[in-house]
Amino acid sequence: MRLVSPVASGNGAHVIHQNLAASIAGYTLVSYSPWRTLFPPSLYPLGRTMPADIIHTTADYAVFHRRRTSKLVITFQNYVLDGFMKAYSSPAQWLHYQTDLKYFTRKAVNRADIVTTVSRATEELIRTDLGYKGEIALIRNGIDTGVFRPGERAAAQDINVLFSGN
């Protein structure tokens, strides 16, 4: 099985696809600069020189990676089109999210062979915001228990939580 995964570098999805490429035989990550998304047709040739049975990528620009000869699997790690994101976006970002990015994402889900997401909440957003009625497979993010193991129990006042993301 040959899997090709074109994904923009510098984000959490890229890290996940790096781990998949390191763990699955035949899985090839094709990294690209996020600056290329300023002119999305520039994404079209990525990975096209590699034979692929499956193209696995994020939903936002998947429509530019689709091939007639390969299955397209898209995974929603998040959903930046959510109205909740408006408060955390610049006016230019929000305009982009609600126009061309929503258009590309809607085309991708309607052309994908398989749509996956990491949460029921994201699934609901895909259905309500994009009007998608097809099947969505829920595949929750896993935890590498070889790296992350429960430690000794701490008293409630000793718990610290850190989240870092972009």
Side-chain angles (χ1 to χ4, degrees), residues 53-128:
D53 300 302
I54 297 171
I55 304 294
H56 179 215
T57 189
T58 57
D60 45 9
Y61 296 102
V63 70
F64 294 99
H65 305 304
R66 185 165 190 348
R67 304 180 196 175
R68 278 182 257 129
T69 57
S70 305
K71 298 289 185 185
L72 177 63
V73 177
I74 59 175
T75 298
F76 285 87
Q77 300 293 337
N78 62 8
Y79 193 76
V80 297
L81 305 175
D82 184 4
F84 173 81
M85 293 298 295
K86 186 173 186 177
Y88 305 98
S89 307
S90 71
Q93 282 175 310
W94 188 245
L95 178 64
H96 165 62
Y97 294 161
Q98 295 305 301
T99 56
D100 57 317
L101 195 61
K102 185 176 257 185
Y103 174 78
F104 297 147
T105 302
R106 185 176 283 125
K107 286 188 91 53
V109 296
N110 289 322
R111 292 184 178 176
D113 295 289
I114 299 173
V115 177
T116 70
T117 186
V118 299
S119 72
R120 291 281 178 225
T122 304
E123 176 183 355
E124 186 59 31
L125 287 167
I126 295 163
R127 293 195 185 288
T128 58

Side-chain angles (χ1 to χ4, degrees), residues 152-160:
E152 293 182 31
R153 289 198 165 244
Q157 67 270 18
D158 294 331
I159 295 175
N160 294 303

